[in-house]
Amino acid sequence: MINLKDQDAIDGKGKMAQLEAVIGKTYSDNFSSTGRSRLMFIQDNGTCGVMEVASEYKSGNHNPKKGIQARADWLVWNGFFY
């Protein structure tokens, strides 16, 4: 998959700006052990740093993995906006 910076240069849809606007917010993350992550930062190489957060559901996982994991920027954008 093409990273968002290159995709914006092609189609001009501004997905990087959308993603930058939600730094620090949580989103639904299917690759997280809790199903939720917080976007911490965006890198120029097409990856984002995300940190798992506790599930918002009673039956969910309330023990997130520690540390920051790398996710593709298009995958994080998809979790927020699709």
Side-chain angles (χ1 to χ4, degrees):
M1 191 75 185
I2 188 169
N3 70 41
L4 292 182
K5 186 176 178 182
D6 294 337
Q7 190 175 355
D8 279 350
I10 295 167
D11 64 18
K13 295 202 178 188
K15 290 182 177 179
M16 281 301 291
Q18 291 175 340
L19 203 55
E20 289 169 355
V22 294
I23 290 175
K25 296 189 178 179
T26 60
Y27 70 101
S28 177
D29 183 1
N30 290 336
F31 296 93
S32 166
S33 66
T34 63
R36 304 283 301 163
S37 289
R38 176 175 288 119
L39 175 59
M40 303 304 290
F41 57 84
I42 303 168
Q43 295 181 317
D44 287 335
N45 66 357
T47 61
C48 296
V50 300
M51 184 173 62
E52 291 187 10
V53 295
S55 175
E56 58 188 7
Y57 303 106
K58 283 184 187 179
S59 61
N61 181 2
H62 294 278
N63 297 310
K65 293 178 184 174
K66 300 212 183 296
I68 294 177
Q69 290 108 30
R71 299 269 193 284
D73 58 5
W74 62 268
L75 194 59
V76 175
W77 183 91
N78 206 33
F80 272 108
F81 302 107
Y82 194 74

